[in-house]
Amino acid sequence: MVNPQNLLMSSGRWRSWEYALWLLALASPFALASHALIINEIAIVALFALSLDLILGYTGIVSLGHAAFFGMGAYSAALFAKLVMPDPLVGLVVGMVAAGLLGALCSVTILRGTDLTRLMVTLGVGLILMELANKMSWLTGGADGLQGVIMGPLLGQFEFDLYGRTSAAYSITVLLLVFVLARRFVNSPFGATLKAIRDNRLRAMAIGIPVASRLVVVYTVAATVAGAAGALLAQTSSFASLDVFEFHRSADVMLLLVIGGVGWLYGGVAGAIVFKLMQDVISSITPQYWTFWIGLFLVVLVLVGRDRLIRPWTWFRPSAGGRQP
Amino acid sequence: MLTILFDGVAYGMLLFILAVGLAVTMGLMNFINLAHGAFAMVGGYITVLLMQQFDVPFLLCLPVAFFGSALLGAVLERTLYRPLYNKPHLDQVLFSIGLTFMAVASVDYFIGSGQQIIQLPEWLKGRTELGEGRWMLGMGHYRLFIIAVCAALTVALQYVLTKTRFGSRLRASVDDQRVAAGLGINVNWVFLGTFAVGSGLAGLGGALGAEVLGLDPSFPLKFMIYFLIVVAVGGTSSITGPLLAALLLGIADVAGKYYIPTFGAFIVYSLMIVILIWRPQGLFVRKGAK
């Protein structure tokens, strides 16, 4: 007899290989010191993908405007460091809170309508923020980006250096913390209701799940995490520019999450590693046209079937057929 | 002021021609095709290349652009799009973004990333002015031409959809694919034809709009949002919905850029979000429609 409570708890339990994996990750900035910059980037992107996974993978909301929260976190952390105080940890919290507030505000836009409507409003919110950041140049520096952000040492001890070792260690630590919390979150009864909403919203409503308030909460949480990723980017690069709001960012993060697999918290992390390495390799071969190869990869990925990519032995079997929900 | 209204109408008409194909694919096949702008770009580039390399007159280029993109649309529908009709929306979004990325990079590679300029024939270059002072109406001949072409197309489309045999087959396939197939309608061919015409219209819009909107490899990404707004706001169940939405958007955009330039595109996006929160299925959807 399977007890549902045990089922939930066992899926949330940590396995030994996971401890090893995270220890490796934490050691990587020091072991591969010359690659610390890219490790830092991967950690930030992974965090961003993790946040998208919360709403896309676990709740089934298709969003093309997730960069809005990323950018909000980046700008508020950078502005805070520039105008108020340079402490990174406080800045991180400020970025997260700002993005979370924005997420709570925007969550009303995703409550109604179809996938198309949601695509449009999320896309629209991202574009509006980009326009705002562009036009409010007295505050944000406009198209030139926000310059002159100087970060204080981490915990008052560790200076951010040019090689990015401190940055990478910092980003990975934040990623780990958020990962642990997110895992707790999705494996809780609350997380189970989210999956119910994803699978069948009508049925979820019928068994008494308050769909709207759940969506608001998860959207806010996801926005907060995205804000953390943005804040990390702004802090470790000491710079924020309009680029953080670009449509490319939203599309890329969705892409890499799908590469890694949705609805599985490691998906974002795996996708981030694959995507960043691929980008690094391809753009060193053809710097200008790497989007072509990404596009081709996406098209093939969808035609082969997303769920099959990680199972190569099923590629040549006919597809299961039938309409997917 | 009338001039702004006129320019807005011309712009809206152009958006309508660009977006109506998308309205059909989205409404009909329930396929979120973000690559629609790529077909428009193809039409635009066909026109530019024909005019620059082979000195083909502008008017002849327009049908070539239409049939060129329609053919491309038909080929892609047969090979790539069809297997995806029944996939979840996320797959369709990813697929069409991938296609757009590929189109952007290929055009960049083969033709170059610069802005392409179209040399209009002499008779389209002028401008007619009517009236005086605040109520002066200045009509660029080219915009007048766009409005005329688009109005003719709209009437033709409406006629085909409501009065012809193909139109009724199409509407039958939209409403219930299985029953339509059971009645002996070849749904596959209807969809193929519709997709091709939709892509062709996008190509025609791209050719017409190259002068007004500008043409460079980032075209599909830059204008994707506009097509989507037209379709999302207008709803996908009729032609008049997208038409009205396109006109509204065109006038709001032109007027907004003229009167309050500091806000830029801000107005259009906010307008869209407000409308979509208020009426998630689009402004002009009959009550009870899906």
Side-chain angles (χ1 to χ4, degrees):
Chain A
M1 178 79 194
V2 184
N3 182 339
Q5 200 181 354
N6 286 340
L7 202 69
L8 266 182
M9 284 172 74
S10 72
S11 67
R13 194 160 293 143
W14 285 72
R15 319 248 184 280
S16 51
W17 60 269
E18 292 177 79
Y19 291 110
L21 200 75
W22 283 105
L23 278 178
L24 268 181
L26 283 173
S28 62
F30 305 98
L32 304 164
S34 55
H35 297 85
L37 284 174
I38 194 163
I39 292 174
N40 178 38
E41 248 176 83
I42 289 176
I44 291 171
V45 173
L47 188 60
F48 189 27
L50 181 79
S51 99
L52 185 65
D53 202 13
L54 287 178
I55 57 169
L56 179 67
Y58 285 93
T59 328
I61 299 167
V62 190
S63 162
L64 269 183
H66 214 51
F69 309 119
F70 187 76
M72 188 72 188
Y75 267 99
S76 26
L79 281 173
F80 183 79
K82 192 178 172 185
L83 304 175
V84 188
M85 64 184 283
D87 186 71
L89 288 178
V90 184
L92 180 67
V93 173
V94 169
M96 288 171 76
V97 170
L101 287 176
L102 182 71
L105 196 70
C106 292
S107 57
V108 290
T109 62
I110 55 147
L111 294 180
R112 299 181 64 190
T114 56
D115 275 356
L116 172 64
T117 323
R118 273 193 282 277
L119 268 182
M120 291 312 301
V121 290
T122 51
L123 191 57
V125 168
L127 288 167
I128 284 182
L129 281 181
M130 186 162 144
E131 281 286 315
L132 275 183
N134 192 8
K135 301 290 177 192
M136 291 164 60
S137 46
W138 50 272
L139 182 66
T140 61
D144 298 332
L146 187 68
Q147 276 152 356
V149 180
I150 298 156
M151 297 312 301
L154 191 61
L155 298 173
Q157 315 228 5
F158 306 100
E159 288 281 349
F160 287 103
D161 52 5
L162 278 177
Y163 308 103
R165 250 169 297 176
T166 320
S167 319
Y170 174 43
S171 301
I172 290 181
T173 315
V174 175
L175 174 66
L176 175 60
L177 287 177
V178 174
F179 186 89
V180 172
L181 291 175
R183 190 161 164 148
R184 222 28 220 111
F185 181 69
V186 299
N187 285 317
S188 64
F190 188 94
T193 62
L194 291 181
K195 284 176 233 170
I197 294 172
R198 171 193 67 188
D199 292 340
N200 191 331
R201 184 179 290 215
L202 208 60
R203 195 184 296 160
M205 242 182 253
I207 59 174
I209 295 172
V211 172
S213 69
R214 293 288 143 106
L215 289 181
V216 168
V217 170
V218 73
Y219 206 64
T220 309
V221 169
T224 311
V225 175
L232 285 180
L233 180 75
Q235 291 179 337
T236 53
S237 63
S238 305
F239 183 64
S241 72
L242 289 183
D243 165 68
V244 291
F245 286 119
E246 289 270 357
F247 170 70
H248 259 284
R249 237 178 233 284
S250 304
D252 283 353
V253 71
M254 189 151 136
L255 203 160
L256 70 88
L257 177 61
V258 167
I259 293 175
V262 290
W264 177 58
L265 287 177
Y266 280 107
V269 182
I273 295 171
V274 172
F275 186 81
K276 274 286 163 198
L277 292 182
M278 203 158 78
Q279 184 180 25
D280 213 40
V281 171
I282 296 179
S283 55
S284 68
I285 302 169
T286 56
Q288 208 176 343
Y289 306 112
W290 86 277
T291 49
F292 178 85
W293 300 105
I294 286 294
L296 183 68
F297 182 78
L298 266 182
V299 168
V300 172
L301 178 78
V302 173
L303 287 178
V304 167
R306 277 186 281 130
D307 42 343
R308 291 201 198 189
L309 197 75
I310 39 173
R311 294 187 213 110
W313 58 94
T314 59
W315 283 359
F316 298 103
R317 270 183 231 156
S319 62
R323 206 187 170 106
Q324 282 171 285
Chain B
M1 198 167 97
L2 282 178
T3 310
I4 294 168
L5 197 64
F6 174 81
D7 281 353
V9 169
Y11 187 45
M13 283 286 206
L14 197 59
L15 284 179
F16 170 68
I17 289 303
L18 280 164
V20 68
L22 186 65
V24 172
T25 28
M26 285 225 216
L28 171 65
M29 304 159 184
N30 195 15
F31 190 100
I32 298 190
N33 183 14
L34 297 186
H36 194 71
F39 291 107
M41 179 175 71
V42 168
Y45 271 100
I46 288 178
T47 312
V48 167
L49 289 184
L50 280 180
M51 286 179 75
Q52 281 177 355
Q53 311 282 329
F54 304 101
D55 282 328
V56 182
F58 181 66
L59 278 187
L60 196 64
C61 289
L62 295 181
V64 177
F66 177 84
F67 285 111
S69 355
L71 189 69
L72 181 69
V75 170
L76 286 182
E77 203 269 351
R78 260 289 133 93
T79 49
L80 296 178
Y81 277 88
R82 179 156 305 165
L84 294 174
Y85 284 156
N86 289 333
K87 290 274 183 78
H89 283 156
L90 177 62
D91 275 327
Q92 299 170 351
V93 167
L94 288 170
F95 169 78
S96 45
I97 289 183
L99 218 54
T100 313
F101 279 176
M102 283 169 78
V104 169
S106 324
V107 168
D108 196 348
Y109 180 77
F110 286 113
I111 303 174
S113 59
Q115 182 113 20
Q116 300 290 334
I117 295 158
I118 282 197
Q119 277 302 323
L120 291 174
E122 279 304 319
W123 57 276
L124 281 176
K125 275 185 183 163
R127 187 179 152 91
T128 309
E129 292 186 354
L130 294 173
E132 295 275 319
R134 265 190 80 206
W135 297 97
M136 201 240 331
L137 170 63
M139 298 183 291
H141 288 172
Y142 186 61
R143 297 188 190 232
L144 210 56
F145 175 71
I146 289 180
I147 293 187
V149 171
C150 296
L153 273 174
T154 313
V155 173
L157 275 176
Q158 185 71 18
Y159 177 78
V160 168
L161 273 182
T162 52
K163 297 280 185 301
T164 61
R165 209 175 168 76
F166 181 79
S168 46
R169 285 188 176 156
L170 181 61
R171 280 176 290 130
S173 312
V174 178
D175 281 345
D176 195 322
Q177 244 187 73
R178 283 181 56 207
V179 172
L183 287 171
I185 297 173
N186 192 334
V187 176
N188 279 346
W189 278 101
V190 172
F191 279 12
L192 176 67
T194 316
F195 194 88
V197 171
S199 316
L201 283 173
L204 181 63
L208 279 173
E211 207 267 331
V212 181
L213 308 174
L215 186 66
D216 61 56
S218 66
F219 184 87
L221 289 173
K222 228 171 17 186
F223 288 95
M224 180 184 79
I225 172 85
Y226 282 87
F227 309 148
L228 286 169
I229 293 178
V230 169
V231 175
V233 169
T236 48
S237 60
S238 66
I239 294 227
T240 38
L243 176 65
L244 291 175
L247 289 178
L248 183 73
L249 177 67
I251 295 169
D253 202 32
V254 170
K257 278 185 179 145
Y258 183 81
Y259 286 114
I260 9 181
T262 37
F263 281 119
F266 188 72
I267 297 179
V268 172
Y269 302 142
S270 328
L271 191 68
M272 171 192 77
I273 291 183
V274 170
I275 289 179
L276 284 182
I277 292 178
W278 173 43
R279 302 216 40 181
Q281 306 291 342
L283 263 186
F284 306 102
V285 173
R286 283 163 296 153
K287 257 208 166 138
K290 49 178 173 178

